[in-house]
PDB file of all heavy atoms in Angstrom:
ATOM      1  N   VAL Q 271    -104.068  29.230  13.251  1.00 85.00           N
ATOM      2  CA  VAL Q 271    -104.779  30.486  13.559  1.00 85.00           C
ATOM      3  C   VAL Q 271    -104.118  31.655  12.832  1.00 85.00           C
ATOM      4  O   VAL Q 271    -104.798  32.490  12.216  1.00 85.00           O
ATOM      5  CB  VAL Q 271    -104.811  30.721  15.085  1.00 85.00           C
ATOM      6  CG1 VAL Q 271    -105.230  32.153  15.407  1.00 85.00           C
ATOM      7  CG2 VAL Q 271    -105.762  29.742  15.753  1.00 85.00           C
ATOM      8  N   ALA Q 272    -102.789  31.704  12.876  1.00 87.00           N
ATOM      9  CA  ALA Q 272    -102.066  32.807  12.231  1.00 87.00           C
ATOM     10  C   ALA Q 272    -102.341  32.801  10.729  1.00 87.00           C
ATOM     11  O   ALA Q 272    -102.580  33.858  10.120  1.00 87.00           O
ATOM     12  CB  ALA Q 272    -100.580  32.679  12.505  1.00 87.00           C
ATOM     13  N   ARG Q 273    -102.318  31.613  10.152  1.00 87.00           N
ATOM     14  CA  ARG Q 273    -102.558  31.523   8.700  1.00 87.00           C
ATOM     15  C   ARG Q 273    -103.986  31.995   8.374  1.00 87.00           C
ATOM     16  O   ARG Q 273    -104.200  32.794   7.458  1.00 87.00           O
ATOM     17  CB  ARG Q 273    -102.344  30.071   8.238  1.00 87.00           C
ATOM     18  CG  ARG Q 273    -102.532  29.855   6.734  1.00 87.00           C
ATOM     19  CD  ARG Q 273    -102.138  28.459   6.329  1.00 87.00           C
ATOM     20  NE  ARG Q 273    -102.895  27.399   6.977  1.00 87.00           N
ATOM     21  CZ  ARG Q 273    -104.123  27.023   6.621  1.00 87.00           C
ATOM     22  NH1 ARG Q 273    -104.726  27.644   5.634  1.00 87.00           N
ATOM     23  NH2 ARG Q 273    -104.740  26.055   7.255  1.00 87.00           N
ATOM     24  N   LEU Q 274    -104.937  31.481   9.134  1.00 86.00           N
ATOM     25  CA  LEU Q 274    -106.340  31.840   8.872  1.00 86.00           C
ATOM     26  C   LEU Q 274    -106.593  33.327   9.097  1.00 86.00           C
ATOM     27  O   LEU Q 274    -107.391  33.943   8.393  1.00 86.00           O
ATOM     28  CB  LEU Q 274    -107.278  31.013   9.765  1.00 86.00           C
ATOM     29  CG  LEU Q 274    -107.418  29.537   9.371  1.00 86.00           C
ATOM     30  CD1 LEU Q 274    -108.219  28.768  10.429  1.00 86.00           C
ATOM     31  CD2 LEU Q 274    -108.099  29.405   8.005  1.00 86.00           C
ATOM     32  N   LEU Q 275    -105.916  33.882  10.082  1.00 88.00           N
ATOM     33  CA  LEU Q 275    -106.080  35.312  10.374  1.00 88.00           C
ATOM     34  C   LEU Q 275    -105.643  36.157   9.183  1.00 88.00           C
ATOM     35  O   LEU Q 275    -106.387  37.035   8.698  1.00 88.00           O
ATOM     36  CB  LEU Q 275    -105.260  35.691  11.613  1.00 88.00           C
ATOM     37  CG  LEU Q 275    -105.217  37.172  12.005  1.00 88.00           C
ATOM     38  CD1 LEU Q 275    -106.602  37.673  12.385  1.00 88.00           C
ATOM     39  CD2 LEU Q 275    -104.254  37.404  13.168  1.00 88.00           C
ATOM     40  N   VAL Q 276    -104.442  35.865   8.691  1.00 89.00           N
ATOM     41  CA  VAL Q 276    -103.923  36.646   7.563  1.00 89.00           C
ATOM     42  C   VAL Q 276    -104.793  36.425   6.332  1.00 89.00           C
ATOM     43  O   VAL Q 276    -105.167  37.373   5.623  1.00 89.00           O
ATOM     44  CB  VAL Q 276    -102.450  36.250   7.286  1.00 89.00           C
ATOM     45  CG1 VAL Q 276    -101.913  36.975   6.049  1.00 89.00           C
ATOM     46  CG2 VAL Q 276    -101.582  36.589   8.489  1.00 89.00           C
ATOM     47  N   GLN Q 277    -105.147  35.162   6.126  1.00 87.00           N
ATOM     48  CA  GLN Q 277    -105.947  34.800   4.948  1.00 87.00           C
ATOM     49  C   GLN Q 277    -107.325  35.475   4.989  1.00 87.00           C
ATOM     50  O   GLN Q 277    -107.789  36.038   3.999  1.00 87.00           O
ATOM     51  CB  GLN Q 277    -106.102  33.273   4.950  1.00 87.00           C
ATOM     52  CG  GLN Q 277    -106.623  32.670   3.663  1.00 87.00           C
ATOM     53  CD  GLN Q 277    -106.757  31.147   3.846  1.00 87.00           C
ATOM     54  OE1 GLN Q 277    -105.887  30.508   4.448  1.00 87.00           O
ATOM     55  NE2 GLN Q 277    -107.816  30.593   3.318  1.00 87.00           N
ATOM     56  N   SER Q 278    -107.945  35.425   6.157  1.00 87.00           N
ATOM     57  CA  SER Q 278    -109.291  36.005   6.264  1.00 87.00           C
ATOM     58  C   SER Q 278    -109.247  37.510   6.088  1.00 87.00           C
ATOM     59  O   SER Q 278    -110.152  38.102   5.489  1.00 87.00           O
ATOM     60  CB  SER Q 278    -109.897  35.677   7.634  1.00 87.00           C
ATOM     61  OG  SER Q 278    -109.917  34.292   7.819  1.00 87.00           O
ATOM     62  N   CYS Q 279    -108.222  38.148   6.650  1.00 89.00           N
ATOM     63  CA  CYS Q 279    -108.097  39.599   6.489  1.00 89.00           C
ATOM     64  C   CYS Q 279    -107.929  39.932   5.006  1.00 89.00           C
ATOM     65  O   CYS Q 279    -108.508  40.909   4.508  1.00 89.00           O
ATOM     66  CB  CYS Q 279    -106.898  40.125   7.260  1.00 89.00           C
ATOM     67  SG  CYS Q 279    -107.201  40.227   9.018  1.00 89.00           S
ATOM     68  N   ALA Q 280    -107.138  39.108   4.318  1.00 88.00           N
ATOM     69  CA  ALA Q 280    -106.913  39.348   2.898  1.00 88.00           C
ATOM     70  C   ALA Q 280    -108.224  39.217   2.136  1.00 88.00           C
ATOM     71  O   ALA Q 280    -108.556  40.051   1.288  1.00 88.00           O
ATOM     72  CB  ALA Q 280    -105.876  38.362   2.374  1.00 88.00           C
ATOM     73  N   GLU Q 281    -108.988  38.188   2.467  1.00 86.00           N
ATOM     74  CA  GLU Q 281    -110.269  37.971   1.767  1.00 86.00           C
ATOM     75  C   GLU Q 281    -111.273  39.081   2.072  1.00 86.00           C
ATOM     76  O   GLU Q 281    -112.065  39.487   1.233  1.00 86.00           O
ATOM     77  CB  GLU Q 281    -110.852  36.612   2.154  1.00 86.00           C
ATOM     78  CG  GLU Q 281    -110.127  35.461   1.461  1.00 86.00           C
ATOM     79  CD  GLU Q 281    -110.566  34.101   1.969  1.00 86.00           C
ATOM     80  OE1 GLU Q 281    -111.619  34.030   2.615  1.00 86.00           O
ATOM     81  OE2 GLU Q 281    -109.838  33.131   1.723  1.00 86.00           O
ATOM     82  N   ALA Q 282    -111.213  39.573   3.317  1.00 84.00           N
ATOM     83  CA  ALA Q 282    -112.168  40.632   3.689  1.00 84.00           C
ATOM     84  C   ALA Q 282    -111.693  42.009   3.265  1.00 84.00           C
ATOM     85  O   ALA Q 282    -112.420  42.986   3.353  1.00 84.00           O
ATOM     86  CB  ALA Q 282    -112.362  40.607   5.204  1.00 84.00           C
ATOM     87  N   GLY Q 283    -110.444  42.091   2.865  1.00 87.00           N
ATOM     88  CA  GLY Q 283    -109.874  43.375   2.465  1.00 87.00           C
ATOM     89  C   GLY Q 283    -109.540  44.241   3.659  1.00 87.00           C
ATOM     90  O   GLY Q 283    -109.386  45.458   3.535  1.00 87.00           O
ATOM     91  N   SER Q 284    -109.418  43.653   4.843  1.00 89.00           N
ATOM     92  CA  SER Q 284    -109.111  44.438   6.057  1.00 89.00           C
ATOM     93  C   SER Q 284    -107.606  44.582   6.213  1.00 89.00           C
ATOM     94  O   SER Q 284    -106.838  43.694   5.836  1.00 89.00           O
ATOM     95  CB  SER Q 284    -109.667  43.734   7.292  1.00 89.00           C
ATOM     96  OG  SER Q 284    -111.058  43.642   7.221  1.00 89.00           O
ATOM     97  N   THR Q 285    -107.239  45.697   6.820  1.00 92.00           N
ATOM     98  CA  THR Q 285    -105.834  45.928   7.161  1.00 92.00           C
ATOM     99  C   THR Q 285    -105.537  45.155   8.444  1.00 92.00           C
ATOM    100  O   THR Q 285    -106.402  45.078   9.326  1.00 92.00           O
ATOM    101  CB  THR Q 285    -105.603  47.429   7.374  1.00 92.00           C
ATOM    102  OG1 THR Q 285    -106.105  48.103   6.233  1.00 92.00           O
ATOM    103  CG2 THR Q 285    -104.141  47.761   7.562  1.00 92.00           C
TER     104      THR Q 285
END
Side-chain angles (χ1 to χ4, degrees):
Chain Q
V271 166
R273 181 173 60 79
L274 287 172
L275 175 64
V276 176
Q277 193 182 319
S278 303
C279 284
E281 284 172 16
S284 298
T285 308

